Amino acid sequence: MESKNRQRDYLFDNYKVLLIILVIIGHFTEPSYRNNDFLYTLKWLIVSFHMPAFIFISGYFSKRELTFAKLFQKLVIPYLIYEFIYYFFYIYILHKETSLYLLYPKFSLWYILALFAWRAVTPYFKKLPYYMLLSVGLGLLIGCSDMADNFLSLPRILVFYPFFLAGTIFSRDTLNTLRTRKCQLFSACVIATFILYLILDETHTEYSPKIFYGRYNYDFLGQTNAEGIFCRLFCYAVSFILTFAIFSLITDRQNLLSYIGSRTMAIYLFHGLTYSYLKECTTLLDHVDTLTESLILLFFCTALALLFSALPFSRLTGLVSNLPAVLKLSIQQLAFPFRFLPVHYLEVSNPALEPGTLQLFSCTLSTNRSD
């Protein structure tokens, strides 16, 4: 939530606006990206950097260590609540057979669980020698495992961990060095070259965009361990390069959409429910064939980001992430008539008091307590 006492860094807000829209597009194009060349190229471009960049930014804003209890409150409790929401949504709205597998995150909820793991482990992990290289090594080796791909989201937690760690290392001054004119020109050329590569090269079509998902082992992707490790190293390089290239081009000035950058959690949660409904209950997403239909889908995804950035949705996710504090305040408010009984008696027996004065005084007492 935006602090009134601290000016926001709109570079990150603007980047998050782009990324959350790409997250939606990435999900909504999943059933149909093979239907035309435009969506196919766009899908490859999106998955090559959007989650690594998001995770890098999460790491950047996770430099301050939080207690385990605070992390549990802000991440594990919301994860459990959203798991129940998805469970009941699947059962009663989608009429889809499922179970409450809390160790197997539903849809995009893996990211909340991953944030908890990264934030809890990082202070200790960074004490190890060569921890960045070690994190890359773990991300490469997990692809050799036959572990269930969604168990606690461990494969994705390990594969994407280097991006989170990198975020904790970088400072704003370091990022500013990427924003010179020369770097911006070079970055634009890099991005254009990669797009041309995706359009013109046919060798990459032998692979699935899932090589960037971080979820699947090499065997599932049809690769030997050696080929998979080499391919994942290539993916790491592409993701880091594109993440920083786009950093150099994103504006750091406030614009009409910058506010969305502070409300991405609500968008992330609610777009998943929308996607699940359209995917399970309709065939609309399966038949995006023409360029016109593809552009309409992109417009729809952008509209969803705007819709779910509305205050009611962000307030709900904010309430969930601060649920213990909200419950404590609610209990205090319920106990209010009894705790301030002598003062209420004074209000009744002293008609000279202006109506509303006591209520304001009592609220001031309760909000200034340091329990």
Side-chain angles (χ1 to χ4, degrees):
M1 186 175 292
E2 186 173 349
S3 171
K4 294 180 181 179
N5 299 321
R6 184 181 63 184
Q7 187 173 356
R8 296 193 66 88
D9 191 335
Y10 292 108
L11 171 64
F12 292 95
D13 277 342
N14 294 334
Y15 204 166
K16 286 165 68 179
V17 174
L18 170 66
L19 292 173
I20 196 62
I21 292 174
L22 293 182
V23 166
I24 300 174
I25 293 172
H27 285 143
F28 276 73
T29 56
E30 184 68 27
S32 57
Y33 72 87
R34 299 174 189 85
N35 293 3
N36 64 69
D37 291 339
F38 172 75
L39 283 186
Y40 188 79
T41 302
L42 181 63
K43 180 71 171 181
W44 271 92
L45 178 63
I46 289 173
V47 300
S48 64
F49 79 94
H50 77 312
M51 286 313 298
F54 233 132
I55 292 164
F56 176 88
I57 293 174
S58 295
Y60 180 88
F61 286 106
S62 299
K63 292 182 173 67
R64 183 169 65 91
E65 293 182 22
L66 297 178
T67 63
F68 185 86
K70 199 70 174 176
L71 288 174
F72 193 89
Q73 170 195 324
K74 288 189 168 296
L75 294 169
V76 176
I77 291 177
Y79 167 74
L80 295 174
I81 291 172
Y82 297 146
E83 275 288 334
F84 275 95
I85 290 174
Y86 266 86
Y87 171 73
F88 289 119
F89 184 79
Y90 281 13
I91 293 292
Y92 296 108
I93 304 297
L94 304 185
H95 304 291
K96 179 180 179 180
E97 240 183 86
T98 188
S99 296
L100 194 61
Y101 298 121
L102 297 180
L103 300 183
Y104 294 83
K106 287 181 170 56
F107 195 61
S108 57
L109 298 183
W110 71 269
Y111 187 63
I112 302 176
L113 195 60
L115 277 177
F116 170 75
W118 293 328
R119 296 208 64 167
V121 167
T122 295
Y124 308 100
F125 193 84
K126 290 177 74 172
K127 295 178 181 179
L128 299 174
Y130 307 108
Y131 60 85
M132 272 301 298
L133 290 177
L134 180 59
S135 70
V136 172
L138 291 172
L140 297 175
L141 291 176
I142 192 62
C144 304
S145 168
D146 59 356
M147 177 190 298
D149 58 29
N150 203 33
F151 176 68
L152 286 175
S153 289
L154 282 176
R156 279 186 283 205
I157 288 174
L158 292 177
V159 170
F160 289 124
Y161 190 35
F163 300 100
F164 184 86
L165 274 178
T168 66
I169 297 168
F170 271 71
S171 67
R172 187 65 165 84
D173 290 337
T174 306
L175 292 174
N176 284 340
T177 62
L178 301 173
R179 299 178 57 75
T180 63
R181 286 284 185 181
K182 288 183 179 179
C183 283
Q184 289 176 333
L185 179 60
F186 178 74
S187 296
C189 291
V190 166
I191 296 169
T193 301
F194 184 67
I195 293 173
L196 285 175
Y197 165 77
L198 293 177
I199 294 172
L200 302 176
D201 176 73
E202 293 187 359
T203 58
H204 78 278
T205 60
E206 299 173 7
Y207 298 89
S208 166
K210 288 184 171 69
I211 60 175
F212 283 100
Y213 286 18
R215 173 175 177 171
Y216 304 105
N217 63 24
Y218 303 138
D219 182 63
F220 177 88
L221 296 170
Q223 301 171 330
T224 64
N225 287 341
E227 182 186 7
I229 288 173
F230 178 81
C231 182
R232 186 158 289 175
L233 274 173
F234 175 78
C235 291
Y236 273 141
V238 169
S239 296
F240 270 113
I241 290 170
L242 290 180
T243 294
F244 294 129
I246 296 174
F247 248 121
S248 72
L249 298 177
I250 291 287
T251 178
D252 58 1
R253 296 181 179 180
Q254 185 179 12
N255 57 59
L256 289 175
L257 298 180
S258 295
Y259 75 94
I260 296 176
S262 63
R263 304 178 185 181
T264 53
M265 181 53 75
I267 301 170
Y268 192 75
L269 173 69
F270 287 105
H271 94 274
L273 297 172
T274 308
Y275 170 75
S276 297
Y277 178 82
L278 291 177
K279 181 174 180 290
E280 297 294 333
C281 301
T282 76
T283 59
L284 289 173
L285 299 180
D286 296 319
H287 303 291
V288 183
D289 301 317
T290 66
L291 178 60
T292 301
E293 291 170 343
S294 301
L295 293 176
I296 291 173
L297 179 61
L298 301 190
F299 176 81
F300 175 73
C301 292
T302 305
L304 276 184
L306 292 171
L307 171 64
F308 294 134
S309 68
L311 274 177
F313 297 105
S314 60
R315 282 174 177 164
L316 177 60
T317 53
L319 183 148
V320 170
S321 65
N322 292 284
L323 192 58
V326 172
L327 289 176
K328 181 179 179 182
L329 181 60
S330 298
I331 292 170
Q332 289 177 341
Q333 289 174 337
L334 286 173
F336 169 81
F338 304 100
R339 294 173 65 182
F340 294 100
L341 185 60
V343 186
H344 279 282
Y345 175 77
L346 177 64
E347 182 183 24
V348 174
S349 62
N350 190 351
L353 281 175
E354 191 174 331
T357 302
L358 184 61
Q359 182 182 4
L360 180 61
F361 174 65
S362 301
C363 288
T364 304
L365 280 178
S366 62
T367 55
N368 286 338
R369 287 177 55 85
S370 54
D371 292 347

